[in-house]
Amino acid sequence: MADFLRGRARRRMLVVVLALWATQLGSLVAPAYACGCGAMVPDTARRVAVAREVSVVRWDGRRERIVMRLTVAGDSDRAAWIMPVPHRADVTLGDPALFDELDKTTAPVHRTRTHFWPQDGDWPLVSGGGRDTGAPPPGVDRAPGVAVVGRQKLGPFDVARLTATDPAALGDWLADHGFSLPPRLSAALQPYVARRWEYVAIRLAPDTTGTPLRGILDPLSLSFAADEPVYPMRLSRLARTPQSLGLYVLAAHRMQPASAIGGSRPRVTFAGRITPPRNSPLAELAAGTPFLTAIGQEFPTPSLIDGDHTLRRTATDTPFQQVIYEDRLRTVAGIPAWLLTVAVTLAALTAAVALFAVRRTTAEPMDPQAG
């Protein structure tokens, strides 16, 4: 009887271990459908994830332009990317140099400041730790409810512009072209269908067949009419891991998100009027929209995302740039100033005590009976 019970316990333990192993394996191969702006749909039973996404929004009061650069990783050799847009979009390739210019323009300013008394890391307060200085298919057929209003080939991208009256119909169109639309993504698209938005559907595939999608993709530029600047974020609620948003906004004035839409408070990392070099990609994009605002935001719990980012003008165009200070101990001829001060003070005190002692000795009267 005891052997039977021990065998039964071992079988239960084996079932638990296998279940945990299957769960972990599932988490490794599960596709990541959401990215910061739009949704990524990998090949069946494959995985593709957006490791990083950097976007630029330009709004001149009538039209909006979004330029995106995606860094992807995974084991899928092809994927579809869906981007909802409020109006018919023109799609072109972007210039990679644009993002290098933006990084340079918004980089923090480094300044040096000195301190008199030693801090952590200065002798003799060396603790071994440093200070923290800072903080993206062939065929032109139609599925019911979906209209293909444009097709084009842009570098490695096969781009289709679609209108859809039913998110399930969009799923049918994707299925006809080799992709499966997850049910929860279909449900997430419903608000865009209700508002009669359109979609940009893009097939991503590397130049070499069978090569997984990895690395930085060519930037894509989408331009469409807009009464107000909006950055689609709703589909990011499908993500299973925390999301991070990095957004550049070019407009006539300083801009800010109207709300946090379920994330942390948006933070401005740069704000100011810019004068980029003539004929540069940033100069072309900033023409008529010279005020650049860089915004960062974290979404620890993506399921709380409840809408898209609507951008508003701030009350004032206050400029801002991050400053990173390098703290240095004040020295004199290579010697810490505090140490010299302490040494001089001690020497002065010693001299004063000695002088006081000498004066006291000489001032004492001699005993007349001495000797």
Side-chain angles (χ1 to χ4, degrees):
M1 184 65 177
D3 291 340
F4 172 77
L5 292 176
R6 282 194 295 268
R8 186 175 181 181
R10 284 194 295 268
R11 287 193 295 271
R12 286 182 178 177
M13 181 62 71
L14 179 60
V15 169
V16 172
V17 170
L18 289 175
L20 290 172
W21 178 81
T23 300
Q24 293 297 320
L25 181 61
S27 66
L28 291 175
V29 302
Y33 299 117
C35 55
C37 186
M40 189 77 74
V41 182
D43 196 0
T44 305
R46 299 275 184 151
R47 176 183 176 275
V48 64
V50 178
R52 187 184 181 205
E53 176 183 352
V54 182
S55 297
V56 188
V57 172
R58 178 191 185 272
W59 186 66
D60 62 7
R62 294 179 301 173
R63 291 191 66 82
E64 178 176 344
R65 185 175 173 184
I66 300 178
V67 185
M68 293 163 294
R69 185 173 68 176
L70 305 180
T71 301
V72 299
D75 60 2
S76 180
D77 61 352
R78 65 192 190 106
W81 178 68
I82 304 169
M83 170 74 166
V85 290
H87 297 284
R88 188 72 43 86
D90 296 324
V91 186
T92 60
L93 285 177
D95 191 330
L98 169 64
F99 297 93
D100 296 332
E101 288 189 69
L102 286 166
D103 286 342
K104 183 177 180 180
T105 301
T106 61
V109 174
H110 289 260
R111 294 176 182 168
T112 300
R113 61 186 178 188
T114 60
H115 52 271
F116 182 81
W117 294 110
Q119 298 178 0
D120 184 23
D122 297 324
W123 181 88
L125 305 180
V126 179
S127 63
R131 291 181 295 276
D132 184 6
T133 59
V140 293
D141 54 304
R142 293 188 179 186
V146 173
V148 181
V149 298
R151 293 293 298 272
Q152 60 190 129
K153 180 73 173 177
L154 296 173
F157 307 118
D158 182 12
V159 181
R161 289 170 292 158
L162 314 173
T163 60
T165 58
D166 184 348
L170 177 61
D172 293 340
W173 186 91
L174 287 171
D176 290 342
H177 295 81
F179 297 98
S180 177
L181 183 66
R184 63 195 190 101
L185 181 55
S186 177
L189 289 169
Q190 183 58 50
Y192 296 116
V193 173
R195 295 157 63 186
R196 307 188 67 82
W197 280 35
E198 298 188 2
Y199 311 105
V200 174
I202 300 172
R203 185 176 68 92
L204 313 175
D207 295 332
T208 305
T209 304
T211 302
L213 281 166
R214 290 175 183 165
I216 300 175
L217 305 180
D218 291 336
L220 279 171
S221 175
L222 289 73
S223 178
F224 47 87
D227 297 327
E228 59 182 0
V230 60
Y231 188 73
M233 283 289 298
R234 190 185 301 270
L235 298 185
S236 293
R237 65 181 289 113
L238 303 179
R240 292 189 174 96
T241 58
Q243 300 289 290
S244 180
L245 172 64
L247 186 64
Y248 297 102
V249 184
L250 283 164
H253 301 279
R254 178 169 168 169
M255 306 293 284
Q256 66 180 2
S259 69
I261 64 168
S264 64
R265 182 177 179 180
R267 65 190 185 281
V268 173
T269 58
F270 178 88
R273 297 189 180 277
I274 59 174
T275 53
R278 185 177 299 180
N279 299 325
S280 66
L282 183 54
E284 183 272 330
L285 194 63
T289 55
F291 203 102
L292 174 63
T293 310
I295 300 168
Q297 186 182 15
E298 306 300 324
F299 295 89
T301 310
S303 60
L304 298 179
I305 297 175
D306 56 8
D308 301 318
H309 261 320
T310 301
L311 301 169
R312 299 276 192 263
R313 175 184 174 181
T314 59
T316 60
D317 291 340
T318 305
F320 173 78
Q321 188 166 20
Q322 288 181 304
V323 177
I324 296 178
Y325 288 100
E326 180 181 352
D327 291 320
R328 292 183 180 178
L329 185 65
R330 186 173 300 168
T331 61
V332 177
I335 302 175
W338 71 269
L339 186 58
L340 287 175
T341 302
V342 171
V344 170
T345 302
L346 288 175
L349 288 174
T350 302
V353 170
L355 181 60
F356 176 77
V358 169
R359 287 182 177 179
R360 183 176 180 181
T361 301
T362 58
E364 290 180 353
M366 293 184 63
D367 187 352
Q369 297 182 356

